[in-house]
Every structure is written in C-alpha cells, then in structure tokens.
Amino acid sequence: MNFHTEESPSSKAWNLDTKKHTSFPIHGDSVVTCLILDVPYDVIVTASDDHTITVYTLSTGQLKFNLIGHQGGVWCLSSVKHDGQNLLASGSSDKTVRIWDLASGKCLHIFRGHTSTVRCLVVVYPTLIESSMNDKDLYPKLPLIVTASRDKSVKVWSIPGKDEHNFVADEGADASDNPHHLFNLTGHTQPVRGLSAHGRTAVSGSYDHTVRVWDIISGECRHVLIGHSKKGKLQFHDHPVFLAQLTLLVYAVVYDPIRDQVYSTGMDGTIIIWSAKSGVCLHTLTGHQSLIGLLELSSSNLSPYLISGCADATLKVWDPITGTLVHTLSGHPGAITCFYHDEKRVLAGGDGLLRMWDIQTGTVIKDLLKGMTAVWQVAFDGQWGVCASSDVKSIEGRQIQQSMLHIWDFGESDSKW
C-alpha cells in the first residue's frame, strides 16, 4: 500500500527530456515477483519465482548481494527498519518467512509455521492510535510482521532486535515453538491473497469471498465483510501474467487509516468501500469489465485517489470518500499487471508497454517503454524510477525470454513533471 503525503519526495518534478536510462538482465527467464526501491539506502531489491532475491546499488546498478536460501519462489518482500537495522523480510512458496540483513546480505532469522505458500507480507510500524479513553497511544509498541498464506491463515510476528540471537526454526517446526510468533489469525476457509495493515488494524481478503478486519494487538476478528459475488466475468488474454492473476489475484484489499475504511476488489469486477468501524458497506463501485487484481490508495492527504488496475486493460481513478469515478485510463494493449503512483502521476505496465499518466487530468504524459513482452513490476521515488520487464532476446541465434531491470534517473525539473 502506498501512502504519499504532499511533501513526499515521490511528487518531485522530473526532467523527462534529459532522463538517464540504463537496463541489464536479471533472474534469467523467470518472473520478477517483487521490486523494492529504497532511495535513502541506495538499493534496489528484486525477487523472483527462481527462488532468489537480488540487491543492487541504485546509483550504479551494480550487484551487491544474491540472497540465497529460499527453496521456492519468493512472492512477497518488505523492507524493515528496526533497532538500527536495515532488514528485508521475505515470504516464499517454501512456507517460510525469512529476515535478511541488507548490510551484510546474511539471513538472520527463519520463521516456520505456515503450511503453504506465504503470499502476502506487511510490516506494521508503531503509530499513534486513539485508545478507549480518548487518549492516544502507540500501536503496536514495536514493529510487527503480518503474513498471509494459501494455508488460509494470517500470522503476526515480532521482529528480533539487533542483539537477539538468530532464530532459525527447524524443518517442520510449528509456529508455537517460535518466541517471535504472536498470533495465528484463523477463520478464512480458503487461501488468503490480499493483506493490508496499519497501526493495530489488519485487513485480509480471501478466495472464500470474504474480507476480515483484525485487531493485531488482541488477535480479535472485528468484522467479516461479505458482499463480493462468487461469480465474475473473466476475459482471457494470451498472457502469462494475466493467467497467473486468474488463480492468484482474486482479491486485493487496502486499509485506509485516515478515513478508517476498507477497500476490496473481487473477481466480480467490483470495488467495495467498507467502514472498518461498523463493517457496513458504504459504496459499491462498478465499471470494470473483468477481474480487478490491483488496488492502491494514492495519498493520505485530504484529497486522495483510489486507483484500480484490471484485466480489462484499464485503470480507474476513484474518489474514495464519495465513490465517484474520476478518470478511466485506457489505451493499454492488455491486462494491467503493475502500477505505482503518487498524487501527481501513475506509471502503469501491461503487455508491451510502460506508460506514465497524469493522475489529476487522466491524460497520457509519456510512454517510457514499448515493445516488451511483459512488465512485471514498477516503482519510483524522488528522481528515480525502476521497472522489471521481460523481453525476447537473441542469444547465439536462439530467441529466449529474458527479464530486465530498468533504472531511470529523471533528475529534477521546473516543469510540472
């Protein structure tokens, strides 16, 4: 989930005419499943279904580390800042959660207890939240990791401090044997695919067609939100990412702490806005013609945008307060597979195209990449933009699929972009 305030460095203007663009191969012909851009620490992190995580220096593009250890595809990543440590948390189809030291490239901790693929992972930092006495207190007291899995569960973990011993769970160990395991949140009856969290609230979306709102401090399920249809309209495209979305991206969920609202998408092609306090459906947003696999809130300020990306090859920009459709961004040749945004612009990728849009007017600014087979992931911050794509390369007379990492240095400009 992206929260960018008005002062966010992501909203700085870019000089599109003098941008510096470099690219190089990564992860062979495998899908790039995750991408992290960390400008303050000068790193880019990518993960893949080839079981590996790679760390690059942003400013030079040089490889820093290959993080080896997962025995399955890596499907979720999050950077973690805790107790003076610059860490990385990862979840994999090998059923483990791993915590890595980005200063040394070492795996410090291995958590076990999930019995299937760890598909979602969110780090929750201490936040001032109003208590029952109308005072404010920090929840949680220390950063937590929340994970969701195809095993139908959501788990809450504490993060070891820098002076704590490395914790490496034995093969087949139960989560209850881990002193850092806090809660096993159960109730979903099908795999959990969507996860969002802030403060003491986590929201999960499942193939069981429900959304659950959890208190991760007490372990209580506050609400079970039922409203998405079990039937949806699907449009089949000859595209490997879209075909994966049919089985994986059934739900996306976003928790909005500013308005205390939950946003969820389903295979039924709708977006539902819920009150996290009462569990009541506030709005049902319609207009997409297929599975909505991507949903993000653009800003935490008083004039936010809710953006949805769909298999019908469009993005839509909504007002999350009223549920009004603001813009439909169309023109992509196929399913939207990734996007990233702030209060000014959105970079969206799909079949063969990475396009920049003006989020406020709904108009195209520029096409940054054309002609690739697929765009896997995209992110930007300050003057930097990064993208993972796939293309067909000719090597020794053979045509092979190759994943690529693109880095743009846009500098700064006096123009609006």
Side-chain angles (χ1 to χ4, degrees), residues 375-394:
V375 180
W376 304 124
Q377 305 287 334
V378 65
F380 61 84
D381 189 8
Q383 72 191 61
W384 298 96
V386 293
C387 170
S389 69
S390 180
D391 203 354
V392 176
K393 299 292 183 182
S394 180

Side-chain angles (χ1 to χ4, degrees), residues 10 14 37 340-342 345-347 378-382 384-386:
S10 295
W14 287 348
L37 170 62
Y340 200 86
H341 50 84
D342 59 13
R345 62 205 153 211
V346 57
L347 268 60
V378 65
F380 61 84
D381 189 8
W384 298 96
V386 293

Side-chain angles (χ1 to χ4, degrees), residues 31 33 58 76 82 85 210 219 225 252 255 365 391 403 410 414:
V31 174
T33 56
L58 168 63
C76 47
H82 174 53
Q85 305 170 98
T210 71
L225 310 180
Y255 174 60
I365 303 169
D391 203 354
S403 290
F410 291 102
D414 293 331

